[in-house]
Amino acid sequence: MTTTEHAATAEQQAADRLLTALQTRTACAPVRDLIGPVDLPAAYRVQERLTAGRLEHGATIVGRKIGLTSEAVQRQMGVDQPDFGVLFDDMAYADGAVVPTGGLLQPKAEAEVAFVLREDLADGPLDSAQVRAAIDYGMPALEVCDSRIDGWDIKFADTVADNASSGVYILGDTTKTLDEFAPVDVDMRMLINGEEVSTGNGAACLGDPLNAVAWLARAARDFGEPLRAGQVILSGALGPMRPVRSGDEVTVEITGLGTVVAKFSEGNAHE
């Protein structure tokens, strides 16, 4: 077996491990033993295999998410850049929804600004001005990150391969254009069962959530799958994530943008 064939086999084994964990709702061992802890191209190839598996089972891609937007978390992972994952239709919930915890393994909630694109981000410089013009509107969002890796024992390659540790997401009902709010200026509070558990602001997300979207636009194009009109973009955490469990009610308040709420309950399907 050639070196290339061996690498492809290892990447397929990593994808199979993660897909099995996803399908059986059983956490698995890290995949860095197969692809190394910081091999970026290999990790994204595993993610692509995982995505192909999801699509074969009927899922539809509706957007992208950005992870590791905090410099502190990047240092912890030993990297100097964010990562990204794919949003599927079955990951989305409406404001106020009951989110079944049976479909999750180790959920952790974080507050974000979400955007919906009006235009493709496939050509041109993909700079801040182009990105700003391409955004239709923003809204408050609650992302529930999850890891198929047992105990969140992850390095950079593990989280990238595992679709950037994606779980589900909840979008608020309030939408505003960029003429109506400035993402960099927002302040965030996240409460679980009425208790404040996380705070942050727009500057905590790569200096500005729009910077994060610009980074994603360039990275997605480099990997051959540019951002498209109509897609939802989760731009990255505004503050620390916190674990959630069945029975919790999570509220995210983002100044100038609005509120989003989700309740968590036992179950295995959208309710």
Side-chain angles (χ1 to χ4, degrees):
M1 182 180 295
T2 67
T3 301
T4 300
E5 290 173 334
H6 184 272
T9 298
E11 290 163 13
Q12 186 60 56
Q13 289 174 341
D16 289 344
R17 183 183 296 178
L18 292 168
L19 193 58
T20 297
L22 179 66
Q23 293 170 342
T24 63
R25 307 299 182 194
T26 303
C28 65
V31 296
R32 57 183 179 269
D33 64 315
L34 296 168
I35 61 173
V38 293
D39 188 334
L40 183 65
Y44 277 113
R45 286 193 296 269
V46 173
Q47 185 187 120
E48 289 174 352
R49 291 174 184 267
L50 193 66
T51 296
R54 292 294 314 277
L55 296 177
E56 288 174 5
H57 285 82
T60 300
I61 295 173
V62 297
R64 300 289 184 86
K65 64 154 287 184
I66 309 166
L68 303 181
T69 53
S70 161
E71 290 186 5
V73 176
Q74 289 179 17
R75 287 194 298 271
Q76 181 183 356
M77 291 289 181
V79 297
D80 60 358
Q81 62 183 299
D83 68 349
F84 66 85
V86 176
L87 301 180
F88 297 99
D89 56 336
D90 59 1
M91 295 167 59
Y93 288 84
D95 191 12
V98 175
V99 178
T101 56
L104 302 166
L105 292 174
Q106 306 166 99
K108 296 183 178 184
E110 61 184 27
E112 307 190 17
V113 176
F115 300 99
V116 172
L117 298 180
R118 179 175 54 244
E119 302 171 3
D120 291 351
L121 285 169
D123 302 307
L126 302 183
D127 56 15
S128 58
Q130 183 181 356
V131 166
R132 182 181 181 88
I135 290 173
D136 196 1
Y137 54 84
M139 69 204 84
L142 170 61
E143 182 184 2
V144 183
C145 298
D146 199 13
S147 180
R148 270 52 63 181
I149 307 297
D150 192 26
W152 280 89
D153 177 17
I154 58 173
K155 299 297 184 184
F156 188 53
D158 296 307
T159 187
V160 169
D162 188 23
N163 197 27
S165 300
S166 298
V168 300
Y169 65 94
I170 302 94
L171 299 179
D173 287 336
T174 305
T175 63
K176 293 191 176 184
T177 69
L178 294 181
D179 290 332
E180 297 174 306
F181 86 108
V184 70
D185 291 335
V186 302
D187 290 309
M188 176 278 293
R189 295 175 70 228
M190 185 168 71
L191 302 92
I192 298 180
N193 304 325
E195 178 184 354
E196 184 178 280
V197 296
S198 179
T199 60
N201 53 53
C205 181
L206 286 187
D208 185 332
L210 295 179
N211 293 341
V213 179
W215 175 87
L216 174 64
R218 294 188 292 269
R221 183 174 65 181
D222 289 346
F223 276 86
E225 294 292 342
L227 304 183
R228 298 299 182 185
Q231 288 188 332
V232 175
I233 307 298
L234 298 182
S235 62
L238 301 176
M241 64 173 60
R242 293 291 181 255
V244 292
R245 58 187 179 184
S246 178
D248 285 344
E249 179 175 285
V250 181
T251 301
V252 168
E253 302 171 351
I254 300 180
T255 59
L257 194 54
T259 300
V260 58
V261 179
K263 300 177 182 179
F264 294 82
S265 179
E266 294 181 0
N268 295 301
H270 281 61
E271 298 178 11

